[in-house]
Amino acid sequence: MKQLLKHGMVLLAGTAALLHPAYAQDKGMVYYMVPTLLDEFQTGSVSALEMFLEQVGYDLTTLNADNKTDLQQSQMNDVIALAPKAIILAAVDFNALAPSVDAARAAGIPVIEFDRQISSTVSDFTSVAGTVEIGYVAAEQVERLLTEKNGSVKGKVLQVLGDPGDPYTLDIQKGFEERMAAFPEVTIISQPAMMWEASNAGTIVSDQLLANPDIDIVFSHAAHLSVAAVASLEAAGKQPGDVYVMSSNGAPVALQMIRDGWMQVEVEQPLYAQAAAVAMFMDKLVAKEPIEPGEYDVLGLPSVVTDEAWGPTIKIPGAAITPENVDDPSFWGNLKPPAAPVTSVE
């Protein structure tokens, strides 16, 4: 992978060109503003976007903000001056980056929100998982697991959120707690792992095991947080299955923890489909053509584009990964990208 340091930014480019043949003519450069490269979803998103955008004719350069809002704002200013075909943004802080979105669009550059929705201003397109729906799926799994463990839907759940500046984690929490409100005998303890730092999640789990030794389930909002959670459980003398573990995003490490018996459920965030949707609509976005609301097939997943106050948005469903289906190659955590290339929406 080619890496260049420039103005305090890390640029990552060119990996897709080494891994995949050319599919279409060179249509220009797109920049991806990734918030961090500390977890497998974010590194996987770089590879997926490179692969799918190349299939429809675009080059991709990725800038890593290292979870620093001010750095990502500076990066946005620098990229706007380069006048790329489009900017894909996964914001470190969805409120703080809104003015940068406005500045890019004022310069005539389409802005696509990826994974982290910004609702406080208008973007040209947003591709996200159904994050509230991920919360719903997680609640269904907790209902099942508590019944399996305690005989009915009762017990104590430690919910380890990501950073509260990220709408991804807030939406999952919203959906999860909305559905769990139907079960008054379930106590939910919610704590944020600031900056999505795994060490923060580990500390939360260690502290809560002391304060609440009867925790039944630890539900983290990302797989890398569950790695730290499991380490804390092991340090406390727990064995696989003593405390159930689940998380959401579908990373390879989570699938391995399911195979190892430490994790019971991973609710997948459909990374490949989210990236493919961006590529499918890129021609229309660059040409500033309208995106029609309605149903679309994205890598076989039935997805819906709606017109929202912040712009056209596609939501793509996730699914629960369990020991019974963990080896399904359609889950991105098994690292088997789709063989068939995507095509642009006409």
Side-chain angles (χ1 to χ4, degrees):
M1 181 176 288
K2 183 179 179 183
Q3 297 195 45
L4 300 173
L5 293 178
K6 181 179 180 182
H7 306 308
M9 303 183 296
V10 178
L11 283 74
L12 307 169
T15 58
L18 298 175
L19 298 174
H20 306 284
Y23 289 93
Q25 72 272 25
D26 184 3
K27 298 176 183 177
M29 182 63 69
V30 174
Y31 276 78
Y32 175 36
M33 323 300 286
V34 70
T36 179
L37 292 172
L38 290 177
D39 67 79
E40 292 174 301
F41 182 91
Q42 302 300 343
T43 56
S45 71
V46 174
S47 301
L49 284 166
E50 285 181 342
M51 177 180 68
F52 291 124
L53 284 169
E54 186 190 35
Q55 291 173 4
V56 294
Y58 295 91
D59 295 320
L60 185 76
T61 295
T62 295
L63 278 59
N64 173 23
D66 286 325
N67 261 335
K68 299 173 183 175
T69 299
D70 58 345
L71 177 56
Q72 193 168 58
Q73 291 169 324
S74 176
Q75 290 172 343
M76 284 289 289
N77 290 336
D78 289 345
V79 170
I80 290 168
L82 297 175
K85 292 295 183 180
I87 294 173
I88 303 168
L89 173 63
V92 173
D93 185 310
F94 61 104
N95 284 324
L97 268 294
S100 299
V101 173
D102 295 339
R105 298 185 75 240
I109 303 168
V111 178
I112 299 99
E113 307 301 339
F114 180 78
D115 183 45
R116 301 183 175 191
Q117 179 177 299
I118 295 179
S119 58
S120 58
T121 193
V122 175
S123 299
D124 295 276
F125 188 63
T126 298
S127 178
V128 291
T131 43
V132 172
E133 290 79 5
I134 284 176
Y136 293 161
V137 174
E140 292 169 2
Q141 293 300 311
V142 164
E143 179 183 354
R144 177 180 68 81
L145 291 173
L146 286 176
T147 301
E148 174 185 301
K149 194 170 192 283
N150 298 331
S152 64
V153 189
K154 62 182 180 181
K156 190 171 289 185
V157 178
L158 172 59
Q159 180 180 210
V160 182
L161 285 68
D163 193 277
D166 185 347
Y168 170 83
T169 198
L170 299 179
D171 283 352
I172 292 175
Q173 180 186 23
K174 176 183 176 182
F176 178 67
E177 293 181 0
E178 178 184 314
R179 289 292 170 89
M180 292 307 299
F183 304 104
E185 292 186 274
V186 177
T187 299
I188 299 173
I189 304 163
S190 298
Q191 296 285 325
M194 301 302 292
M195 302 300 292
W196 288 98
E197 284 286 347
S199 60
N200 293 336
T203 299
I204 289 167
V205 174
S206 294
D207 291 348
Q208 288 299 323
L209 284 173
L210 293 174
N212 296 279
D214 56 344
I215 288 171
D216 293 293
I217 298 174
V218 176
F219 169 39
S220 302
H221 286 193
H224 73 288
L225 303 183
S226 285
V227 173
V230 166
S232 293
L233 290 172
E234 286 189 285
K238 303 294 185 183
Q239 299 296 316
D242 289 349
V243 177
Y244 287 171
V245 179
M246 57 183 287
S247 60
S248 58
N249 79 353
V253 67
L255 275 58
Q256 188 57 49
M257 285 193 291
I258 290 176
R259 296 182 182 103
D260 293 341
W262 274 106
M263 182 177 286
Q264 282 65 46
V265 177
E266 176 75 4
V267 183
E268 190 201 32
Q269 184 181 1
L271 184 156
Y272 287 145
Q274 285 179 244
V278 172
M280 287 168 57
F281 288 98
M282 188 58 72
D283 280 351
K284 282 187 171 292
L285 292 163
V286 170
K288 296 181 171 56
E289 296 176 357
I291 293 177
E292 298 296 328
E295 295 183 356
Y296 293 86
D297 183 290
V298 184
L299 302 184
L301 295 176
S303 308
V304 178
V305 171
T306 56
D307 280 329
E308 306 293 346
W310 54 86
T313 299
I314 191 164
K315 282 191 174 184
I316 302 169
I321 304 172
T322 67
E324 289 71 32
N325 65 358
V326 67
D327 294 321
D328 187 330
S330 67
F331 296 134
W332 75 266
N334 284 315
L335 301 178
K336 297 178 180 178
V342 300
T343 56
S344 298
V345 173
E346 297 294 334

